[in-house]
Structures are given as structure tokens and as C-alpha cells.
Amino acid sequence: MTITAEHGKGKTLKDAQGDVFRGLEVVEHACGMATLQMGEYVSNVSSGIDTYSIREPLGVCAGICPFNFPAMIPLWMFPVAVTCGNTFVLKPSEKDPGASIILAELAMEAGLPKGVLNIVHGTTDTVNAICDDENIRAISFVGSNTAGMHIYGRAAAKGKRVQSNMGAKNHAVVLPDASMDATLNALVAAGFGAAGQRCMALSTVVFVGDSKLWEEKLVELAKSLKVNSGLEPDADLGPVISKQAKERICKLIQSGVDDGARLLLDGTDIVVPGYERGNFVGPTILTDVRADMECYKEEIFGPVLLCMHADSFDEAIKIVNRNKYGNGASLFTTSGIVARKFQNEIEAGQVGINVPIPVPLPFFSFTGSKASFAGDLNFYGKAGVHFFTQIKTITQQWKDSPGGTGVSLAMPTSQKS
């Protein structure tokens, strides 16, 4: 499973192992579904009347997955859906469907009944068929904004529930008092891990105050990373997913330079011995980036770290909040007072304080916001259970002689007549 998750996607074997394990955490969480979907009960809401709520499955649900987490994202979806009592149609990315096939085989081996989990393959036509099928009640999606908004609009128009996790531009705000070594390690790991092909990658750093020393050390640390096939034991990052992805990344880097950004570290011309035709992009760092640059406005989805500058902490918060995306944001500081201000004022769904990739464990939900998410209920956690179930409220009355009071056409209330 780990090798399948690694193959050709920029992951190292250790990172691919993390892909699998983070998915299995959701499976473990879903094993407690009996208590997660417990309803509510109130006895004697009115004389002799009880009211309670239960959660029931929707029926047929579907998931449409991206290439970058071929194990974890399917495991965000179908374990929660099927333990809530639904059947599930899973469409893996056409670029790497192997992990989903292995997961389905393992699920059947574990005892999942035939027909509960179903795999379909394809591209646009398959996606549109899922959106249009009247039997499918809910759709989970993770991927780009273009695809995500298309699915959200088309499926919602058919009356389906949709949860759509989309693009991101995650920022790290670094204050002068931050621990330098720990912060640099976090920025490099979160910016270049998986060759930057994560929706929670830290792609932009906002330095408050003087940044020259920070940037020098950032370049020095990034230069020490080894780019190679993800199967090589000493590799820190592997290739990006395709030739087209590499071309797009390099084009956005060049657009930043053309717009006035300074290229501190250039990974566009890297050649890996033995893999000369591979889709490799080395760690790249641009500084003096402005909010009007194309490289800032677009999600690059590659090993590219953008550096911006702010004269004050308040200005840094404004930079982050003006960005249309809202998946995550992190702050690096040693001040608890400043951290509290950040968590209250920042407009992002997931906030890290000295944590570079603040993706919660599955008993919380993955709470992207703004242009990073479309829908009402987020992935896994309580929100995930609510997404895959329909609430039903029952009010019941048991009396010895319910017809003894005659006919009343007045609106029923809890008050005695």
C-alpha cells in the first residue's frame, strides 16, 4: 500500500506511509460509530409525550478523490459513510487508482458485504454521471477549485449534499521572537514535503520585521534537501505528478520573477542522475512577493515557498485574511498573548500555533473555509457523521384514553389548556 501511494507523486516512502496511517486513523474513529451517531431523548416534553431524535443513513453516497493522497482521502470518505449505514461509490483519481483498489480488496477481506463499496474509474464523464445520478444522495470531493465548484454546482442543483475540499494558499506568519531552528525546520518540512503537493502545504511565509537572516538560513536548509525517486531511502522529495504539472509550476515561478520577485533558490533546472527525464522540481524560494502577483494568487502545488514581508503583526494578519483561500494558517512565536490574538482574528479554518500543518485527528473535523471549501458539513469528526446521515425526530404519546378530550383544531403546544 505504501509503495502504491508513493509511486510517482513526489512522496518519499516515509511520507507515503504517513498517507496510509493518517487514513487508518479515520478507520479507527469510524469503528466507534455506534456512539458517534447516538441521538437525543427528552422524556415528558409535554404531559405523557416523549420526543427523541435518531440518525439514519442517506442511502447511496459517492466520493471523488485527488491524486496526491491516494490512500488517505478515500479513507476520509468511505469508512465514515459505510459505518453510518450507507453504500458507497468511490472514484479514485485516474492518475493513481491503485491504492483505492487495494483498500476495496482489504475491506472485503475484512468482511464488508459485497456491493457496499464500489469502485468506478474515469474522468469528466464519470464525474458528471455521479453528479446526475438520482440514486446518489451525497458526494464528497477533494481536489481543485475548478473541479470542486463544478461538482458542487451540478450536484447541488440535483438536490444532493456536497462537501467539497478545494484549493489553498496556506500562510505562515513568523514573528521575530520565534525559535529560529524549530521554525526553519517546520517551514522547510511543510513547504517542500511531498514536493509541495498537499492541500495543507505551507506555501507562503510572511516575515514580520527584518527577514534577511531568516531567508539566508531558509535557503541554506532547503539546499540540503535531496531530490530523488521516492523509493530511494535517502530522498527528501520526489517528482511532481506529471510533465504538465512541472510545466505549470515552472511557469508560475517565472511569472513571479517577471513580476519583480527575487529568486533566492531555483529548482526548475534540477537533473536527477538516473532519472533525467523525470518530472522533478527542486526546492524553490521566491522573496519580495506581492499579493498582486500570479504566483501568489494561484495555488502552485509544487515545492515552491513564497516569502512576503510585513512591518507589523496587524499587517501580516491583513495579508493572510485578504487571500481568498482559507484552509489553514500558522503562527510561529513564543508569545501566548500574540498567539491568542492570531487565533481569534485570522480567517482560516485550521490554525496552527507553532504547528506548520494543523490537520486535526479525526475526532475533530477538517475545517477548511472561504474558497477552500464548499458545503455545510466538513470531513470526518462530528461534521462527517452528520454529513452521511439524516436526522429524524420522533414525538410519541401513550395514554390510556387518548380520544377522551374530544377534537381540538388549535395548534398543539406544551401549555395546559
Side-chain angles (χ1 to χ4, degrees), residues 23-100:
L24 291 177
E25 290 169 353
V26 181
V27 176
E28 291 177 351
H29 183 63
C31 288
M33 189 57 66
T35 55
L36 294 174
Q37 59 180 340
M38 287 174 65
E40 300 168 314
Y41 186 97
V42 178
S43 176
N44 219 42
V45 294
S46 186
S47 180
I49 298 176
D50 306 325
T51 299
Y52 60 96
S53 65
I54 58 175
R55 291 201 164 271
E56 296 184 332
L58 299 176
V60 183
C61 301
I64 300 168
C65 301
F67 75 84
N68 58 324
F69 285 98
M72 184 182 76
I73 300 301
L75 291 172
W76 278 12
M77 298 176 180
F78 78 79
V80 181
V82 301
T83 52
C84 283
N86 303 286
T87 57
F88 202 79
V89 178
L90 180 67
K91 194 207 87 66
S93 170
E94 66 280 4
K95 297 173 183 175
D96 53 0
S100 290

Side-chain angles (χ1 to χ4, degrees), residues 160-178:
K160 303 185 194 309
R161 291 185 183 181
V162 184
Q163 52 179 194
S164 182
N165 265 7
M166 299 179 289
K169 200 74 174 181
N170 306 307
H171 294 66
V173 174
V174 178
L175 294 181
D177 69 338

Side-chain angles (χ1 to χ4, degrees), residues 1-7 9 11 16-17 19-21 23-24 65-75 78-79 90-108 117 119-121:
M1 173 71 77
T2 298
I3 291 173
T4 302
E6 176 278 334
H7 189 65
K9 288 172 285 297
K11 295 181 185 293
Q17 191 175 52
D19 179 359
V20 176
F21 285 163
L24 291 177
C65 301
F67 75 84
N68 58 324
F69 285 98
M72 184 182 76
I73 300 301
L75 291 172
F78 78 79
L90 180 67
K91 194 207 87 66
S93 170
E94 66 280 4
K95 297 173 183 175
D96 53 0
S100 290
I101 298 297
I102 295 173
L103 288 172
E105 291 172 346
L106 290 172
M108 293 189 69
L117 176 60
I119 309 288
V120 296
H121 300 284

